[in-house]
Amino acid sequence: DAKTTQPNSMESNEEEPVHLPCNHSTISGTDYIHWYRQLPSQGPEYVIHGLTSNVNNRMASLAIAEDRKSSTLILHRATLRDAAVYYCILRDPPQTGANNLFFGTGTRLTVIP
Amino acid sequence: EAQVTQNPRYLITVTGKKLTVTCSQNMNHEYMSWYRQDPGLGLRQIYYSMNVEVTDKGDVPEGYKVSRKEKRNFPLILESPSPNQTSLYFCASSPRRTSGRLETQYFGPGTRLLVL
């Protein structure tokens, strides 16, 4: 399985942009990159996903390196409600046909008022 | 409202006393799965189901059973709970995977289990 590497923790000031990095040097050509986050005392929730091009949605932006070996989740203006653990995830091996997510330990984002 | 529900949310039990944690989704999703979350280990998959009557083991299936008799329900069964199964459990569901990418998964609120 392709693995991802993320920093254990990061801090950001409120209303400042946050760039959360993820390394996935063994990514295959057809792997999508997914990001989920887990707010305190809640289940994980989907944030964004992408394949090759940068992606934007109402929650965040995803910047994918040209060689696809790394990506960055961008929160444009961090709020206290963005304090969470952020997970960068690649897909299950295609031959299983399953829709499995392989979570690492993620990056714990602390937002400072 | 589209959601995944789990019951109970909190449970304290004793070693060896069989228990069931229920999971239900109202989105007509084919795929459902169970995860456990432990400090320092992140979320690990226990079992998953790709459709009714189709289940398979995840990464940590020992000590657990599941069943999928109906599309909306996917209960997690601990036949003889032990203290090392004390954990936070999450159920998730998603549409069938029809292409190369993962489908978005929707998670329940979690069930915190303590086995004494």
Side-chain angles (χ1 to χ4, degrees), chain A residues 65-100:
Chain A
E66 196 169 331
D67 64 5
R68 300 205 335 118
K69 292 181 187 282
S70 65
S71 61
T72 302
L73 180 71
I74 302 166
L75 307 179
H76 295 285
R77 289 184 65 192
T79 70
L80 296 179
R81 287 173 294 180
D82 292 320
V85 179
Y86 287 79
Y87 298 96
C88 169
I89 299 166
L90 303 182
R91 68 167 184 174
D92 187 54
Q95 62 268 24
T96 70
N99 201 22
N100 296 334

Side-chain angles (χ1 to χ4, degrees), chain A residues 20-97:
Chain A
L20 298 165
C22 180
N23 287 320
H24 29 78
S25 58
T26 59
I27 191 170
S28 73
T30 53
D31 281 347
Y32 279 76
I33 301 155
H34 290 244
W35 284 80
Y36 281 71
R37 73 179 185 180
Q38 187 174 15
L39 302 170
S41 302
Q42 295 188 28
E45 65 175 350
Y46 168 81
V47 177
I48 200 167
H49 76 275
L51 182 62
T52 55
S53 304
N54 295 343
V55 184
N56 300 296
N57 67 19
R58 64 175 180 80
M59 290 179 70
S61 296
L62 177 60
I64 301 172
E66 196 169 331
D67 64 5
R68 300 205 335 118
K69 292 181 187 282
S70 65
S71 61
T72 302
L73 180 71
I74 302 166
L75 307 179
H76 295 285
R77 289 184 65 192
T79 70
L80 296 179
R81 287 173 294 180
D82 292 320
V85 179
Y86 287 79
Y87 298 96
C88 169
I89 299 166
L90 303 182
R91 68 167 184 174
D92 187 54
Q95 62 268 24
T96 70

